[in-house]
Amino acid sequence: MSEGSELYDITIIGGGPVGLFTAFYAGMRQMNVKIIESLPQLGGQLGTLYPEKDIFDVAGFPKIKAKDLVANLKKQAFQFNPTVVLDERVQELVRQDDQTFLLKTLSGNEHRTKTVVITAGVGAFEPRRINVENAEIYDGKKICIIMWMMSAALRISAWLFWAAATRRSTGQTHWSRLPSK
């Protein structure tokens, strides 16, 4: 089975807040964008589990409801008409001879793309375990893990800008791992 043979400039795996912002930024750079989301709707954990939660750590918003943030991100991303595929979970990424990628999903669909950006949390229904040596000493203790959502979005935006500029100037795609800091 196939979702079509169209080759996308960028395919984003994950339709949560960072995936939606990535789609906006790539669209603003005139890229042909596809979002593949494993859930039946966009918005990730914010839209699925916490739609009424107030969010306080988004630049430009002292406080915003999660559902409103998701609605704004969708409106922003959809200005550039990304293709959206819901209820699809990518299980395999295969580099092709022409240096493009073939993404294969659990349902048997295949998607073709020049670039892959993974923004998938997959934490909405599957708890994420952190692989830490001697982690058992933390059993039963409260642990706080702090992440800033927009910092990831900004790093991805900077990377996309760099990738687009490099491709225009050299005609080649270069791989880079996003910095962790």
Side-chain angles (χ1 to χ4, degrees):
M1 210 187 314
S2 179
E3 278 291 315
S5 61
E6 183 174 356
L7 179 65
Y8 286 82
D9 292 321
I10 183 169
T11 298
I12 302 159
I13 301 173
V18 174
L20 288 167
F21 187 79
T22 303
F24 157 71
Y25 205 86
M28 198 167 64
R29 298 289 178 250
Q30 300 175 351
M31 294 177 166
N32 185 15
V33 177
K34 179 182 272 189
I35 302 171
I36 302 176
E37 170 56 52
S38 64
L39 297 174
Q41 73 280 334
L42 295 171
Q45 289 184 31
L46 290 182
T48 303
L49 299 177
Y50 314 111
E52 296 300 324
K53 181 180 179 180
D54 287 327
I55 307 296
F56 298 97
D57 62 349
V58 178
F61 294 96
K63 178 173 96 172
I64 186 169
K65 292 265 186 226
K67 66 180 179 183
D68 296 331
L69 175 61
V70 169
N72 287 343
L73 286 164
K74 285 168 56 175
K75 183 177 180 181
Q76 188 179 38
F78 288 0
Q79 295 176 83
F80 302 105
N81 302 309
T83 298
V84 177
V85 179
L86 300 174
D87 259 338
E88 285 270 297
R89 193 167 200 172
V90 175
Q91 85 175 11
E92 189 175 357
L93 186 143
V94 181
R95 187 161 195 133
Q96 303 295 288
D97 290 338
D98 64 359
Q99 301 306 303
T100 62
F101 293 92
L102 181 65
L103 305 176
K104 298 181 180 183
T105 67
L106 287 175
S107 61
N109 289 326
E110 296 180 343
H111 306 271
R112 296 178 56 234
T113 190
K114 296 175 185 175
T115 307
V116 178
V117 175
I118 300 172
T119 65
V122 192
F125 301 105
E126 296 176 19
R128 287 193 215 157
R129 304 271 181 217
I130 299 175
N131 189 8
V132 176
E133 192 173 323
N134 299 318
E136 63 277 357
I137 66 172
Y138 299 105
D139 285 350
K141 302 210 186 317
K142 292 184 180 180
I143 298 173
C144 179
I145 299 171
I146 300 170
M147 296 181 291
W148 189 36
M149 175 186 67
M150 290 310 287
S151 66
L154 293 172
R155 283 197 310 268
I156 288 171
S157 299
W159 180 82
L160 283 172
F161 176 75
W162 174 82
T166 301
R167 173 169 277 172
R168 276 195 295 273
S169 65
T170 67
Q172 297 179 352
T173 301
H174 298 273
W175 286 93
S176 174
R177 190 171 82 85
L178 291 175
S180 60
K181 292 183 180 180

